[in-house]
Amino acid sequence: MIMEHLVFSLNSVLPVFMVMGIGFYLGRRNILTGDFVGQATSLVFYTALPAKLFLDVSRSNFSDCLDIGFTAYLLLCTCAAFAGAWILCVLLVRDRAAISAVVHSAFRGNFVYLGLPICQSILGRESVPSAIMVVTFVLPFYNVLATIVLSYYDPSGRKVSWKRMLKDILTNPMIIAILAALPFSLLGIKLPSVFEKPLAYLGQMSTPMALILIGAGIRPSSFAGRGTWIGFGAIYKVVVTPLVFAVPMQWMGFNPEQIVTAFVMFAVPSAMNVYIVTKKMGGDGELGAAIITVSMLLSAVTLPMGIWVIKTLGII
């Protein structure tokens, strides 16, 4: 069984690297130019990712999945992870322009593309109620926190405005998509096929396009002289947060499904849309792409190890 989980984890990570590698190759050959990457980033940010999130939430049975205690714990831990990353980055990262990218990469995980299938594989079922809580509540919260730190370190030099931050949060297309999907989930409304199919087409485009853009956005120069920052962001995401926030849940009364979901949420590598959102909001997207890459490499080791520990402790 452990070998099966190891093979599954590797099968989840290696294809991701292959598609990113294609993007890197195309970028290095200037087949994907800087202008194209910028335009395609906008396409994914404003259409593909919101479409996917809208469908994921609208198709869920929200009422049956709601667990206030579990959801509150995840949100508090996410807030603590965000605050801890920001404090440490202020102490470790000398370049003010790089702080937002490191913080963003250190707390935001790739739950949609890697976490969900891993949870389904470990628990042996297609529908995981606790995972739906992550998609509905934690993913929007990621966007709120990301908007705060990216707006605070706005490279244009504009004075920090909490009013502008609130506007950025409320107009974030991914947050709008999730809020728009909630009535469909709560009321059990099925989206007409004529609307669902176009959204599905856009949503299916989000994963490969985001991976290609991340690969095209990787610059070897992003690693030069910034190895400490990249290593910190990656290790904080896939090692520190699962140890600090998932391990204590065994003694806090959470059920096995919730423990597995929380572990996966904290242990998955930095989210692919860290690059998309950071670059779109004027941050150091290339540094974010470097941290994503390293965190994925580390997660190929840490995820199977964590699954082995969960099995050994008899949680599942």
Side-chain angles (χ1 to χ4, degrees):
M1 183 64 70
I2 300 301
M3 183 57 67
E4 290 180 5
H5 289 313
L6 174 61
V7 171
F8 175 81
S9 297
L10 292 175
N11 285 338
S12 297
V13 174
L14 291 179
V16 169
F17 278 109
M18 293 176 68
V19 179
M20 286 176 58
I22 293 171
F24 177 74
Y25 171 78
L26 295 175
R28 295 290 288 178
R29 293 292 300 273
N30 288 322
I31 297 174
L32 300 183
T33 63
D35 289 341
F36 173 83
V37 171
Q39 292 169 352
T41 297
S42 296
L43 174 66
V44 173
F45 182 78
Y46 286 110
T47 61
L49 284 174
K52 179 173 177 54
L53 291 176
F54 179 89
L55 288 179
D56 285 345
V57 174
S58 66
R59 290 168 172 171
S60 67
N61 191 336
F62 183 82
S63 300
D64 292 342
C65 300
L66 182 62
D67 187 309
I68 296 176
F70 174 66
T71 304
Y73 179 79
L74 293 184
L75 292 175
L76 286 172
C77 289
T78 300
C79 196
F82 170 75
W86 197 340
I87 292 170
L88 290 173
C89 281
V90 170
L91 297 175
L92 296 173
V93 181
R94 302 298 181 183
D95 184 357
R96 177 182 169 86
I99 291 177
S100 60
V102 179
V103 174
H104 194 188
S105 305
F107 81 87
R108 185 175 194 153
N110 191 356
F111 189 80
V112 172
Y113 302 128
L114 288 180
L116 281 174
I118 291 174
C119 284
Q120 292 165 355
S121 176
I122 296 173
L123 297 171
R125 55 182 185 271
E126 288 296 320
S127 179
V128 181
S130 55
I132 294 174
M133 291 298 94
V134 175
V135 171
T136 305
F137 291 102
V138 179
L139 264 58
F141 196 46
Y142 281 162
N143 286 290
V144 171
L145 297 178
T147 301
I148 290 173
V149 70
L150 290 167
S151 298
Y152 187 85
Y153 292 101
D154 189 334
S156 67
R158 291 181 296 177
K159 185 178 179 181
V160 176
S161 168
W162 291 102
K163 183 177 180 181
R164 178 166 54 83
M165 282 190 187
L166 180 61
K167 180 182 177 182
D168 289 341
I169 291 169
L170 294 177
T171 56
N172 185 293
M174 285 175 278
I175 292 178
I176 292 173
I178 292 173
L179 292 176
L182 281 177
F184 291 87
S185 177
L186 289 169
L187 300 175
I189 301 173
K190 182 174 175 56
L191 198 66
S193 178
V194 67
F195 296 115
E196 185 176 25
K197 284 187 176 180
L199 289 173
Y201 293 151
L202 289 172
Q204 290 164 6
M205 177 181 69
S206 63
T207 300
M209 182 63 77
L211 286 172
I212 289 172
L213 292 175
I214 291 170
I218 294 175
R219 297 287 182 270
S221 58
S222 300
F223 292 82
R226 303 199 285 184
T228 301
W229 306 346
I230 295 169
F232 165 76
I235 292 172
Y236 187 90
K237 177 65 197 74
V238 304
V239 177
V240 175
T241 56
L243 285 175
V244 172
F245 301 119
V247 171
M249 293 179 69
Q250 185 181 7
W251 300 282
M252 297 175 66
F254 292 102
N255 64 47
E257 176 195 299
Q258 293 171 336
I259 295 172
V260 167
T261 301
F263 164 73
V264 172
M265 188 192 95
F266 290 116
V268 290
S270 302
M272 291 180 290
N273 54 353
V274 164
Y275 170 77
I276 301 291
V277 177
T278 300
K279 191 170 183 65
K280 189 62 187 174
M281 295 187 66
D284 192 337
E286 287 70 28
L287 177 59
I291 297 174
I292 292 169
T293 304
V294 174
S295 69
M296 285 184 174
L297 283 170
L298 287 176
S299 70
V301 177
T302 57
L303 269 170
M305 287 180 60
I307 295 169
W308 179 82
V309 170
I310 288 174
K311 292 285 291 183
T312 301
L313 293 175
I315 296 174
I316 54 175

